[in-house]
Amino acid sequence: MNRLFFFLTILFLINTGAEGSSGDNPKLNLGLRPSPQATSKLRLFTRSYGFIAGLQGGRLTFIEMGLESHWRKITISKPRLLGISANVEYNWGYNILGYKASIFHKVGRINFTYGLNFNYYTDFDYGKVGLGPVLGFKLFGFHLLNGYNFMFGSKEFNKYNTFYVAIRYFFPLRSKVKLEK
């Protein structure tokens, strides 16, 4: 409840600070609103990191676990989110291990994300490296991802998902809030 009150207070302060710079006549300024020269924009940033767990489905099913970090710029008009993650994927049926490093970006109030993955998959005899684009939808800690992997390496190894859908949940461990003028 305290975080919600703090967040709403900051949004109110940002909104009232922006009203004073809307072309007021400085000669008629009676101290009720700050002059355009005195106003400055307040910016609210958050940084959080935590644990992710998920399930990836395609031709094969993988369990995903890893770490994720978010940097947010909270504004009224165009909030931004930049996220990076590093996770491990495992398929127990074929004994396949995968490592993935990801970066994704979200702009605006619509919760669509887009990003890029760097992959390495191995069956402990052969391996492949690759990268691929990812589109997603992020809401309430859940991140639904849809991606494609372009893989390079051993021709004998083909036990990976070329096209996949994954669902992840973000468990935040720490979050910091920073206010800048």
Side-chain angles (χ1 to χ4, degrees):
M1 185 67 184
N2 290 337
R3 287 184 184 179
L4 178 64
F5 177 74
F6 176 74
F7 179 73
L8 291 175
T9 303
I10 296 300
L11 285 178
F12 176 75
L13 290 174
I14 291 170
N15 190 22
T16 56
E19 288 177 2
S21 62
S22 61
D24 293 333
N25 187 352
K27 294 180 181 178
L28 298 177
N29 189 356
L30 302 176
L32 299 176
R33 291 187 183 182
S35 67
Q37 294 83 12
T39 61
S40 63
K41 292 185 177 182
L42 294 176
R43 297 183 301 189
L44 183 64
F45 296 95
T46 64
R47 181 182 187 280
S48 60
Y49 63 89
F51 177 73
I52 56 172
L55 190 64
Q56 181 187 121
R59 191 174 64 157
L60 302 173
T61 302
F62 287 88
I63 293 176
E64 299 182 349
M65 292 188 299
L67 299 173
E68 190 166 283
S69 185
H70 298 158
W71 291 271
R72 290 181 192 265
K73 178 182 174 187
I74 300 173
T75 60
I76 301 287
S77 61
K78 283 191 177 179
R80 296 180 181 269
L81 169 74
L82 176 68
I84 61 169
S85 67
N87 62 333
V88 175
E89 302 172 356
Y90 186 71
N91 177 288
W92 58 90
Y94 292 101
N95 194 27
I96 298 171
L97 183 65
Y99 299 99
K100 186 181 288 182
S102 306
I103 184 166
F104 64 90
H105 192 237
K106 177 179 86 112
V107 179
R109 297 276 175 223
I110 299 174
N111 292 319
F112 288 112
T113 62
Y114 57 92
L116 186 65
N117 288 338
F118 300 97
N119 307 314
Y120 174 72
Y121 288 100
T122 183
D123 64 354
F124 302 102
D125 289 328
Y126 303 104
K128 281 196 171 186
V129 297
L131 58 99
V134 179
L135 295 175
F137 185 76
K138 190 165 183 59
L139 187 65
F140 300 124
F142 287 98
H143 199 177
L144 180 65
L145 301 164
N146 188 8
Y148 189 87
N149 290 325
F150 296 101
M151 302 299 283
F152 312 99
S154 174
K155 295 190 185 299
E156 290 86 11
F157 181 65
N158 62 0
K159 302 279 195 250
Y160 59 88
N161 290 332
T162 305
F163 183 75
Y164 65 90
V165 175
I167 182 81
R168 295 180 185 164
Y169 187 75
F170 176 67
F171 299 95
L173 298 176
R174 179 175 285 179
S175 182
K176 293 181 182 179
V177 176
K178 182 178 177 184
L179 183 65
E180 287 185 358
K181 238 182 173 182

